Amino acid sequence: MRIDVLTLFPRMFEGPLTESILGKAIDKNLLDVHVSNFRDFSTNKHQQVDDYPYGGGAGMLLKVQPIHDAIKSLQADSGRTNQRIILLDPAGKPFNQKMAEEFSKEEHLVFVCGHYEGYDERIRDLVTDEVSLGDYVLTGGELGAMTMIDATVRLLPEVLGNDESAKGDSHSTGLLEHPQYTRPANYEGMEVPHVLTNGNHKLIEEWQLKESLRRTLLRRPDMLEKVELTDEMIRLLDEVKKEEGM
C-alpha cells in the first residue's frame, strides 16, 4: 500500500510513521509513505496557501490551487489516478473500524490535512471522502490522519505478527473485545477465571463470547442494535442481563 499525506507540517509525521507497527510495515516493504508540504505547490511568490473568504466571515480558507497541484503531482509520481483521497474535515463522516477495513483494501490512500478556518469548497470536488475523527475540532488534520493511518495499516496482511489478532479486535466483530489475561494465574489474590485455565476450548469460546456481550451491553449498548444476534448470542445475552440485574 502507498500512503501520501498532504500537510503544512510534515515534521509532525517524522516520528509516528517510523515507529512501532507502522515502522515495521515500512521495513517489510508492506507500506510506502510519502509526506508532502502542499505549501511547496503554491504559485504565490510568498507561498501563500490561504486567503480571505468571499462574502466575508471569520478566519481564512485554504486555497484550491496548492492542493490541486499537489494531488496532480503525486498522481504523476505514483503513475496512478485512482487514489482514495481523504479530506480531514470536522464536518465529514465519522471514522470507524468499518471505514478502516475499507481503506485497508485500497492500493493508494491520500490524506489531505486542513488548517485555518476551512476549505475552499472546490477542494471537496478533488476528493473521494470527507472524514472526521469525531465530534470535536482539532487545530489541524494531522493527528486525525495519523490515527486513521494507524487503524488502517494494522489491518494489512502480514503487518501484525498474527493476522487473526485484528479479526477479534473490539469493533471488528461488532462487539467489544472480551477480557483477557496472562500469567501468573493468581497475582496477589486477583485470579484468572478458572474457565480459561481448564483446557476446555468449547467452554472458553462460550465464556469469551458471553463476556464480550457483557462488556458491550454495559459500555456500548448502542452497538448491540447493529449486530445480527445468533440464537446462542441471544441466550448468553439473556444470562448476562439476569446476572447484571437488568
Side-chain angles (χ1 to χ4, degrees), residues 203-214:
L203 288 179
I204 290 173
E205 290 177 2
E206 181 178 283
W207 180 90
Q208 290 173 337
L209 177 58
K210 182 176 180 179
E211 295 310 307
S212 183
L213 288 164
R214 185 191 309 275

Side-chain angles (χ1 to χ4, degrees), residues 49-215:
V49 295
D50 63 321
D51 211 335
Y52 295 102
Y54 281 115
M60 307 283 277
L61 300 180
L62 284 174
K63 300 168 67 173
V64 64
Q65 176 272 316
I67 292 177
H68 173 268
D69 288 1
I71 291 173
K72 291 298 181 184
S73 175
L74 68 86
Q75 287 176 334
D77 178 61
S78 68
R80 302 189 185 113
T81 58
N82 61 338
Q83 292 84 0
R84 193 77 175 262
I85 304 176
I86 302 150
L87 187 71
L88 278 293
D89 184 6
K93 185 177 180 181
F95 183 70
N96 56 26
Q97 186 68 19
K98 183 178 180 181
M99 197 178 297
E101 292 169 1
E102 188 179 322
F103 287 168
S104 72
K105 295 178 174 62
E106 300 289 339
E107 293 183 2
H108 191 180
L109 299 175
V110 180
F111 291 86
V112 181
C113 304
H115 265 272
Y116 308 113
E117 186 64 23
Y119 301 99
D120 182 308
E121 190 67 18
R122 291 165 291 187
I123 291 174
R124 302 183 192 280
D125 297 331
L126 307 176
V127 308
T128 58
D129 302 85
E130 298 176 33
V131 185
S132 168
L133 195 60
D135 294 336
Y136 47 87
V137 179
L138 299 173
T139 56
E142 286 76 15
L143 295 177
M146 291 178 203
T147 300
M148 293 178 197
I149 291 170
D150 185 278
T152 298
V153 170
R154 67 187 302 278
L155 298 175
L156 297 178
E158 300 181 49
V159 167
L160 295 180
N162 181 352
D163 287 341
E164 294 298 316
S165 296
K167 295 179 182 178
D169 285 341
S170 293
H171 302 288
S172 288
T173 62
L175 301 173
L176 297 182
E177 194 170 16
H178 56 79
Q180 299 189 77
Y181 301 84
T182 188
R183 293 178 178 83
N186 186 322
Y187 180 73
E188 296 188 357
M190 296 181 286
E191 295 187 0
V192 173
H194 177 68
V195 66
L196 299 179
T197 61
N198 67 11
N200 188 321
H201 294 292
K202 183 178 180 181
L203 288 179
I204 290 173
E205 290 177 2
E206 181 178 283
W207 180 90
Q208 290 173 337
L209 177 58
K210 182 176 180 179
E211 295 310 307
S212 183
L213 288 164
R214 185 191 309 275
R215 180 165 285 182

Side-chain angles (χ1 to χ4, degrees), residues 28-71:
K28 293 179 182 178
N29 294 318
L30 301 173
L31 179 65
D32 184 20
V33 179
H34 300 260
V35 181
S36 302
N37 189 336
F38 59 82
R39 189 182 298 280
D40 296 337
F41 295 89
S42 173
T43 56
N44 183 285
K45 66 178 181 179
H46 300 296
Q47 290 190 304
Q48 184 180 356
V49 295
D50 63 321
D51 211 335
Y52 295 102
Y54 281 115
M60 307 283 277
L61 300 180
L62 284 174
K63 300 168 67 173
V64 64
Q65 176 272 316
I67 292 177
H68 173 268
D69 288 1
I71 291 173

Side-chain angles (χ1 to χ4, degrees), residues 211-228:
E211 295 310 307
S212 183
L213 288 164
R214 185 191 309 275
R215 180 165 285 182
T216 306
L217 176 66
L218 297 178
R219 299 185 183 183
R220 289 291 305 278
D222 57 296
M223 292 176 62
L224 289 173
E225 299 174 5
K226 304 173 185 177
V227 177
E228 188 174 342

Side-chain angles (χ1 to χ4, degrees), residues 214-244:
R214 185 191 309 275
R215 180 165 285 182
T216 306
L217 176 66
L218 297 178
R219 299 185 183 183
R220 289 291 305 278
D222 57 296
M223 292 176 62
L224 289 173
E225 299 174 5
K226 304 173 185 177
V227 177
E228 188 174 342
L229 299 175
T230 64
D231 290 342
E232 181 186 18
M233 293 168 76
I234 293 172
R235 175 180 65 81
L236 292 173
L237 190 58
D238 286 340
E239 290 182 10
V240 168
K241 289 179 179 178
K242 290 178 182 177
E243 292 168 4
E244 297 293 336

